[in-house]
Amino acid sequence: MKVYQTKDIRNVAFLGHATSGKTTLVESMLFEAGVINRRGTVEEQNTVSDHYNVEKEKGNSIFSSLMYAPWKESKINIIDTPGNDNFIGEVISALKVADLAVLMINGHAGVEVSTDTAWEYAEINNTPLIMAVNHMDHEKVNFDQSVEQAKGRFGDKVTVVQYPLNPGVGFNAIVDVLKMVVYKFPEGGGKPEKMPIPDSESDKANELHEKLVETVAEYDEDLMEAYFEKGSLDEAEMAKGLKLALLNRQIFPLFCISAKENMGSGRVMGFIHDNAPIPSDRIAKLDDGTEIACDANGKPVVFVYKTFSEPHLGEISYYKVYSGKIKNGDDLYNTTSDKAERLSGLFILNGKERTAVDEIVAGDIGIAVKLKATKSNHTMATKDNQVKIEPISYPEPNIRAAISAPNKRDMEKIQSSLIQIAKEDPTLLIDQSRELKQTILSGQGELHLNIVKYRLEKVYNLEVEYIEPRIPYRETITKMSETVYRHKKQSGGSGQFAEVHLRVEPYFEGMPEPANLTVRKTQDLELEWGGKLSFYWCIVGGSIDAKYINAIIKGIMNMLENGPLTGSYVRDVRVCVYDGKMHPVDSNDMAFQLAAQQAFKAAFKNCGPVIMEPIYDVEVLTPDDVMGDIMGDLQTRNSIIMGMDADGHYQKVKAKVPLRELYKYSSALRSLSAGRARHTRRFAEYSQVARDVQDNLVKAHSEEEVEA
């Protein structure tokens, strides 16, 4: 297999909404490059990209897929990504290593929600981008509307390079305003015939050509000067300007294609070959903010952007070489896990087909198998070059569910399998919650969690169910109370005796020192679940020995971990121990721990106790026509609408929503909007629940304790 040099490598991620045609376009590109001799289809479940059983069953990409297409003297590395927001992690990891993105737009549906999402992450990664409006052969295609929506959403940098001559059924011709020719395709697609632009299209084509030339010249002084002098740019000047403008995201060239009929794929590949940034054009950053040059002569630096476990093969690590060269058998050092690694095999990938290679140079993408200590987001380098590539940042989860196993004996196997899946999918979070006594999965949507369930059942042979997760409520107080509790136990021999006098009151930052008490010692304890315990030792005259302080704090902490109202964590309290009694023989740590525990419990119930619930900031991106339904639904969920903003041709609704109202919200949103709206959520704060909600929670907890 030929070893490609950095200047001949193009790394391209294909993005877009589900059904925009990414996988079909990639299939046509592989066919045009001679990688495959027959184009597969999603319907026939035989594409190179969608090769996992679950993808074939669902009819959509779920995992990103790595392929390559030799084109002229270059190698185009292709990463086909899923079009559903549930699998946004696969898109983000692909954009980390891509030097160009192709954003697919459905020519009859226009700019859809996942198109927006893909655009946003390309923008975050500062990834150069071209657009391809697909489905030019569809009976309901509307190219002009798609372009209008793209410009409305993504700005005037969207620049038409091609437009269809006869869109719809029978489509077979494209006007290219960069080359100023018409490409006419034979039946079945493939290599087109170049023809002159007809007179009927000359005015439109010339106008678009002038717009393209102006855009290319606008960001380079030399080109602008040449344009003013000659009124145009020659082919070499256009090539130079296009590369610069594309690299700096000053232009987003827009093409039109029919991926299904293989019309236009070769032109897109030609443009990528001629104009796409090469890896050394792009600036990569290390985790300390410094930059690393993509230089084949530098020290080896390799970044793993994805891992996946294959049956009968083991763990596969997908990586990009950011610097230097790597060879089979090289010893590297994982600077993230501080472990040595040996590259026991180098491969490039086309879907599921591996090809062994002798060497991979800076800028190229490959895979390794069975690395011992290297996972997603890890960097490998040489021992004397302790650098780390800036890691990938993933979005917050949008859904949570608890795992239930019909066979309780399988729970340990389920948890270990989930840990393996989460290694491969950083957007899946697992919390074996001691507080809630549940294993909680958090992901990007219901489909995301359903795919996890599918893998547990089909790959790991484990039966699981999803149930509604409990809510991590918090308990606190609103006023002060004092109490005295004596613990006395005598059962032969030495007994137990302890008496404590406590003042319990709400804690807040900057509160004054306790009134009428002499403070001897203080401890402010940050609670791992949030909030604070402020402990004051106010004993005067030695009524309780200071050696019992830790036992008293331990007793109080036991109650903070099991709140008196619902068993939830308690936060933000100040406890002052101001008096008590001890016995020279019967007092011990256990006695004071139990006395403090019961004293706190008694005082807490007289302190105006309240239950706090987690509130989330929710943003919903929705089309105008369903915004009313979505806002109405939010209001039924005890939400507070914080505002609305226009976001392109969508509306963004901002609201504060209790977590208890968000279970399966993504499903409800999909139903309300026919899949056109999406939401994000982020924890905001804890807020007091309504009195009726509190009464119901306390009652339910009491009933659970009786049943237990």
Side-chain angles (χ1 to χ4, degrees), residues 299-532:
K299 293 182 178 181
V301 177
V302 178
F303 179 76
V304 175
Y305 70 92
K306 173 181 172 174
T307 58
F308 198 83
S309 183
E310 292 275 14
H312 314 300
L313 184 59
E315 198 164 275
I316 297 177
S317 301
Y318 294 70
Y319 60 80
K320 180 178 182 179
V321 180
Y322 276 81
S323 174
K325 303 173 184 178
I326 56 174
K327 296 181 179 180
N328 187 27
D330 278 356
D331 289 317
L332 295 177
Y333 191 78
N334 186 318
T335 59
T336 309
S337 66
D338 293 325
K339 297 288 178 67
E341 285 282 16
R342 170 161 289 185
L343 299 176
S344 57
L346 300 182
F347 303 92
I348 56 175
L349 205 61
N350 243 325
K352 63 181 179 180
E353 300 297 328
R354 290 180 294 146
T355 302
V357 293
D358 297 325
E359 182 179 76
I360 296 182
V361 305
D364 210 348
I365 297 174
I367 66 165
V369 296
K370 298 181 180 178
L371 295 179
K372 295 179 180 179
T374 302
K375 309 299 178 189
S376 298
N377 250 347
H378 284 197
T379 299
M380 293 184 291
T382 52
K383 186 80 172 180
D384 63 344
N385 187 32
Q386 297 287 301
V387 298
K388 297 177 187 175
I389 296 294
E390 185 179 48
I392 303 168
S393 178
Y394 294 97
E396 296 281 333
N398 286 328
I399 191 172
R400 58 197 291 271
I403 284 278
S404 175
N407 184 349
K408 302 299 181 185
R409 291 173 296 180
D410 285 343
M411 200 61 202
E412 188 173 334
K413 294 179 183 177
I414 290 171
Q415 289 174 343
S416 63
S417 300
L418 284 172
I419 290 170
Q420 177 59 39
I421 293 173
K423 286 179 182 177
E424 303 165 11
D425 181 1
T427 63
L428 179 71
L429 303 183
I430 304 169
D431 178 17
Q432 296 178 16
S433 176
R434 180 167 59 94
E435 173 188 3
L436 303 178
K437 299 177 177 63
Q438 289 179 316
T439 298
I440 308 293
L441 295 187
S442 298
Q444 297 300 311
E446 188 171 2
L447 179 58
H448 186 197
L449 296 190
N450 285 343
I451 294 301
V452 174
K453 185 173 185 288
Y454 174 97
R455 293 186 67 188
L456 288 171
E457 293 175 346
K458 302 293 186 181
V459 178
Y460 295 94
N461 297 314
L462 295 167
E463 187 177 355
V464 297
E465 294 177 359
Y466 288 147
I467 60 175
E468 185 171 358
R470 300 185 181 104
I471 303 298
Y473 291 107
R474 298 286 181 265
E475 299 179 19
T476 192
I477 53 178
T478 59
K479 61 183 182 180
M480 182 184 74
S481 178
E482 294 183 352
T483 189
V484 176
Y485 187 85
R486 173 177 291 183
H487 173 73
K488 185 175 182 180
K489 185 177 180 181
Q490 193 72 39
S491 56
S494 61
Q496 290 186 350
F497 179 86
E499 181 179 308
V500 294
H501 298 211
L502 298 185
R503 176 185 294 178
V504 180
E505 56 191 324
Y507 170 82
F508 57 90
E509 291 290 340
M511 66 186 301
E513 294 292 280
N516 305 318
L517 295 178
T518 302
V519 179
R520 299 296 188 184
K521 186 176 182 179
T522 65
Q523 280 185 252
D524 284 338
L525 304 176
E526 297 288 345
L527 303 173
E528 63 182 66
W529 52 85
K532 186 176 286 188

Side-chain angles (χ1 to χ4, degrees), residues 144-157:
D144 291 338
Q145 180 176 292
S146 296
V147 172
E148 184 180 343
Q149 287 186 1
K151 288 187 174 183
R153 178 63 184 90
F154 310 129
D156 289 337
K157 293 179 182 178

Side-chain angles (χ1 to χ4, degrees), residues 28 30 158 222 364 407 449 466 594 606:
S28 292
L30 295 175
V158 176
D222 292 338
D364 210 348
N407 184 349
L449 296 190
Y466 288 147
L594 294 172
N606 293 321

